[in-house]
Amino acid sequence: MVTSDHPAAAPGRVAFVMQDGIAVLTIENPPVNAGSLGVRLGVVAGIAAAQEAGARGAVLIGAGRTFISGSDLREFGRPLEQPELPDMIASIEAAPFPVVAALHGVALGGGLELALGCDWRIAAPGTKVGLPEVSLGFIPGAGGTQRLPRLVGQSRAIDLICRASRIPAEEAQEIGLIDAIAEGDLLQAAFAILAEGRGKRLAKNLTPPEETPEAIDAVATKMLARGGKRPNVAEAIRLVRASGGDADAALAEERAVFHRLRLSEDAFALRHLFFAERKAASVDGLDMAQARDVTRVGVVGGGTMGQGIARAFLAADLPVVLVERDQGALSSALERTREGIDRQVASGRLSQEVAEGRKAALAGTVDHAGLAGCDLVIEAVFEDMAVKTALLASLEQHLPDSAILATNTSYLDIDEMAQGLSRPDRVIGLHFFSPADVMKLLEVVRAERTSEAVLATGLKLARRLGKQPVVARVGEGFVGNRIYAAYRRRAELLVLDGAAPVAVDAAAKAFGFAMGPFAVSDMSGLDIAWSMRKRQAATRDPKARYVTIPDRLCEAGRLGRKTGKGWYDHSGGKPVPDPEVAALIAAARADAGISPRSYDAETIQRQLLAAIVNEAACLLDEGIAQRASDIDVVLTNGYGFPRWRGGPLYWAARQDRAALEADLADLAQAMGHGFRAGPVARTLDQIDIPTEGQ
């Protein structure tokens, strides 16, 4: 083995060696081998060095734990330096010898596009590959929309690109994206591919597998709707459709679109979220080495939430003990939990073999003593302080001191809940969002006496579950529900003052929310918020404006979809405005002495956003959230806020400050007595607003 001293190998980025006539280019850019300028320079130089050395083939492989995790996103807001990724791929395609991409860990974004530009692809078992660019506001820009469909077909390429899917190497091999799965040593397996005498095979010169236009149209229509008809989704679909024509022309068009979209507002906003989500998963100054391993979990409460939490743990290969109050309730909860797993099989999201393994890892008990072997037990029982306090006290008696006690409470004071325990330091909030096995957001609530080791364990567990953690301190509703309550209160006041519920919902959806606030209330059930309002009634300031309409709906038995009627009439399947609700609203206005006024959609939108932004500023000022960007992570991952707007504080930071101050003044006037104005300007100064050139 001879180590090359060729000066163009970009030392520290790409190592170059010759072994038996094969050039081995090892990408070295820890910790995740991002495709930076140094990597691009190194690969181009390495291919040139291989030609000078008379190589008969080359292998691209990553050092450390991965191939290439993707391009360095920090470069995307400024002019890209030469060579760009297409230049690197062009050097590989122009080489007179075949090049094998040897993949392990992950090959994402530009990493996968680099692999697609190689002649052959081999992967270690379990390697994940994908093109996530659409989720970041732009499109694959180095051949992803052209080379991928020529290997796997246009409809499958549209699906993979628009979903930003990560798929395992085994699936990638089945669809023709990967040529082989390595058995044993990855580099030796790559050498074996070249030893077979395989020559050049440029993906860009292939013809996409034949499909019917109807099949392609069906996938394209579905993905465009799923992507909210955002410009980058439409462009990705258009370019994939063009993959049957002139490859070089389509590649040039793809690159031009990529450069335009990477500097779009959507892309800047989504890059903000990309970095915000990674930061939210950490706590400043916390030593994650303290985190403990969790090997077995208990879930107390087998209702809908408890079942979802159990499935979330089972999906992370953690055995679960489900606890219910009696044998009948337990049998029913276990059955429904297993049925949820079976539905995943029926939908094609899970294999039968994996499903059987998860069901086998699910056990049940009606005795807290049956939880003795659990490292962590989470309660998901009725949202009542007395019930939860008594439960934690009982669990403490049956669990070893090393076990963590977690609560899934949405609103209640965890400090109060834990104050009677002998070891309150092992109590933590793990607030899942429904459905718990689907929703990504997980609020990790740090109580006053939660130990750092327990907090670190909660964050480590969140990552194992595939969740997006955000750390919160104790406070009514923590981060998400506290802000959402302010949003809902403003929506209700808009209705009291003259807006129709359907107009408020339409304005919210037009802004980009997945659903309007009243449609959400009907879906989740009006009785949840009603219980909270009744709990708060004794301490409510009688001078504060209070909207009685939701209470009147609940008193009339209109609890939402589950009763067929709420803010809307759901009896026909599709929600429609109901004259009965209009009459209730009119009566509430009359009782309050209000003459209704009209609101346009923009005013509704800006008032809803002002309520969110102001409450976020108050919450940050109180220290309940760590940082402003965490608010954006919570609202986009748990409350349907449009990701392409970057989150409410990112959105607000981009607004004209004078216009925003006017919105906040209108909010204060509408809310009336008791309204607290948060330090919005100081909060927005924490948000970094990137511009081209940064």
Side-chain angles (χ1 to χ4, degrees):
M1 181 180 292
V2 179
T3 301
S4 171
D5 59 358
H6 195 282
R13 293 297 185 178
V14 176
F16 173 86
V17 297
M18 289 292 296
Q19 183 174 345
D20 298 328
I22 304 298
V24 180
L25 279 66
T26 305
I27 298 159
E28 299 176 349
N29 189 17
V32 293
N33 285 345
S36 63
L37 173 63
V39 169
R40 300 194 298 271
L41 285 166
V43 170
V44 170
I47 293 295
Q51 293 185 60
E52 289 185 12
R56 56 186 174 83
V59 176
L60 284 182
I61 194 168
R65 64 176 188 261
T66 193
F67 179 66
I68 291 181
S69 63
S71 298
D72 188 344
L73 285 181
R74 290 169 296 188
E75 295 183 354
F76 277 30
R78 57 180 183 261
L80 298 182
E81 297 182 77
Q82 300 289 332
E84 295 185 28
L85 182 53
D87 302 321
M88 177 168 61
I89 294 172
S91 71
I92 291 170
E93 291 183 326
F97 45 76
V99 179
V100 176
L103 315 178
H104 76 291
V106 297
L108 302 174
L112 180 56
E113 288 185 294
L114 173 61
L116 290 170
C118 294
D119 300 286
W120 306 97
R121 286 156 295 283
I122 188 169
T127 302
K128 295 290 182 67
V129 300
L131 295 171
E133 288 86 352
V134 163
S135 69
L136 293 167
F138 47 98
I139 62 165
T145 69
Q146 299 305 305
R147 295 185 179 91
L148 180 64
R150 294 167 194 267
L151 291 168
V152 306
Q154 291 187 353
S155 63
R156 185 170 275 125
I158 289 171
D159 185 271
L160 291 173
I161 291 172
C162 293
R163 287 184 187 274
S165 300
R166 296 187 182 194
I167 61 173
E170 292 76 8
E171 180 181 343
Q173 183 187 26
E174 290 177 8
I175 65 176
L177 174 52
I178 298 292
D179 297 300
I181 302 296
E183 297 181 5
D185 183 79
L186 178 61
L187 183 58
Q188 293 303 315
F191 287 163
I193 290 248
L194 292 170
E196 295 174 2
R198 302 192 191 194
K200 298 290 291 181
R201 180 180 181 259
L202 306 189
K204 75 172 188 177
N205 292 342
L206 301 177
T207 300
E210 189 172 341
E211 299 178 80
T212 66
E214 292 77 14
I216 298 170
D217 288 344
V219 174
T221 299
K222 181 179 179 180
M223 289 300 105
L224 189 60
R226 182 180 184 274
K229 299 183 179 180
R230 300 308 300 163
N232 64 321
V233 179
E235 288 286 40
I237 293 170
R238 179 179 70 84
L239 288 161
V240 170
R241 285 181 177 276
S243 61
D246 183 294
D248 290 330
L251 287 167
E253 171 70 5
E254 176 198 68
R255 194 64 180 174
V257 172
F258 162 80
H259 276 303
R260 171 169 56 82
L261 290 175
R262 74 179 174 87
L263 299 175
S264 67
E265 289 187 8
D266 284 19
F268 278 121
L270 288 163
R271 282 199 291 276
H272 161 75
L273 274 181
F274 177 88
F275 292 112
E277 286 171 345
R278 279 142 188 80
K279 191 177 291 185
S282 66
V283 173
D284 298 338
L286 178 67
D287 180 9
M288 286 299 295
Q290 303 174 80
R292 308 170 193 166
D293 289 329
V294 174
T295 60
R296 188 176 182 84
V297 175
V299 179
V300 183
T304 301
M305 178 60 80
Q307 296 164 34
I309 292 173
R311 286 193 293 269
F313 284 124
L314 292 168
D317 295 324
L318 284 167
V320 172
V321 179
L322 188 61
V323 182
E324 260 295 356
R325 63 187 181 278
D326 56 50
Q327 194 60 51
L330 177 63
S331 297
S332 177
L334 290 171
E335 181 180 0
R336 291 196 301 270
T337 303
R338 295 180 182 120
E339 287 173 352
I341 295 172
D342 290 336
R343 284 194 296 271
Q344 292 177 303
V345 175
S347 66
R349 288 177 291 160
L350 207 61
S351 71
Q352 189 66 52
E353 180 182 2
V354 171
E356 293 304 320
R358 291 183 186 179
K359 288 190 283 188
L362 176 65
T365 182
V366 295
D367 186 349
H368 291 173
L371 296 168
C374 295
D375 306 298
L376 179 145
V377 175
I378 182 169
E379 67 78 18
V381 299
F382 186 67
E383 192 78 345
D384 179 271
M385 179 63 77
V387 172
K388 290 180 184 288
T389 300
L391 174 58
L392 290 183
S394 175
L395 291 174
E396 187 175 51
Q397 300 303 312
H398 291 91
L399 293 169
D401 286 348
S402 59
I404 294 172
L405 301 179
T407 172
N408 183 56
T409 182
S410 303
Y411 289 98
L412 299 179
D413 186 335
I414 300 176
D415 292 329
E416 180 182 345
M417 203 181 296
Q419 67 182 2
L421 301 179
S422 61
R423 288 284 310 280
D425 60 303
R426 60 168 166 167
V427 176
I428 191 170
L430 295 178
H431 179 212
F432 288 81
F433 289 74
S434 186
D437 51 336
V438 175
M439 294 291 286
K440 283 203 66 174
L441 181 63
L442 178 64
E443 284 184 319
V444 179
V445 187
R446 183 180 194 175
E448 183 179 1
R449 298 181 64 181
T450 301
S451 73
E452 291 204 346
V454 169
L455 178 61
T457 303
L459 289 169
K460 180 180 178 181
L461 180 61
R463 287 196 290 270
R464 179 168 179 178
L465 294 174
K467 300 296 186 183
Q468 171 60 64
V470 176
V471 177
R473 288 284 190 177
V474 173
E476 178 79 26
F478 312 122
V479 176
N481 282 345
R482 160 98 176 253
I483 292 174
Y484 194 82
Y487 166 75
R488 186 176 58 235
R489 282 197 303 272
R490 186 66 190 103
E492 290 167 356
L493 276 169
L494 283 165
V495 169
L496 181 64
D497 289 336
V502 69
V504 175
D505 279 354
K509 287 196 69 176
F511 180 81
F513 278 94
M515 298 174 69
F518 300 111
V520 170
S521 291
D522 275 5
M523 181 179 70
S524 59
L526 276 69
D527 50 328
I528 297 173
W530 191 29
S531 297
M532 180 187 69
R533 290 193 300 274
K534 288 189 287 188
R535 176 168 52 83
Q536 296 172 336
T539 57
R540 184 179 302 120
D541 187 340
K543 296 180 182 178
R545 293 193 75 191
Y546 183 74
V547 183
T548 62
I549 301 167
D551 294 347
R552 298 182 188 207
L553 291 171
C554 292
E555 289 161 1
R558 303 181 67 105
L559 304 182
R561 289 187 186 179
K562 58 188 171 185
T563 60
K565 292 184 178 183
W567 287 95
Y568 298 98
D569 184 347
H570 300 268
S571 57
K574 182 179 179 181
V576 295
D578 190 335
E580 184 179 331
V581 174
L584 284 172
I585 293 171
R589 289 171 181 164
D591 290 347
I594 292 173
S595 297
R597 55 163 290 193
S598 61
Y599 292 91
D600 60 33
E602 183 181 3
T603 299
I604 292 172
Q605 290 169 356
R606 294 190 68 88
Q607 279 298 287
L608 293 175
L609 268 293
I612 290 174
V613 170
N614 183 75
E615 197 68 20
C618 291
L619 185 149
L620 284 159
D621 190 47
E622 296 164 19
I624 293 174
Q626 282 193 96
R627 51 183 80 90
S629 60
D630 286 2
I631 303 296
D632 290 335
V633 173
V634 169
L635 269 292
T636 52
N637 281 276
Y639 294 86
F641 193 95
R643 291 185 64 83
W644 51 271
R645 290 192 185 271
L649 294 183
Y650 180 89
W651 170 86
R654 292 178 63 91
Q655 302 304 300
D656 176 79
R657 286 296 173 94
L660 186 60
E661 288 172 5
D663 294 334
L664 292 166
D666 289 344
L667 173 69
Q669 183 177 13
M671 299 299 292
H673 176 81
F675 173 76
R676 179 191 168 196
V680 171
R682 188 172 76 234
T683 297
L684 297 184
D685 287 342
Q686 298 180 38
I687 298 290
D688 180 33
I689 301 298
T691 58
E692 184 175 357
Q694 286 190 308

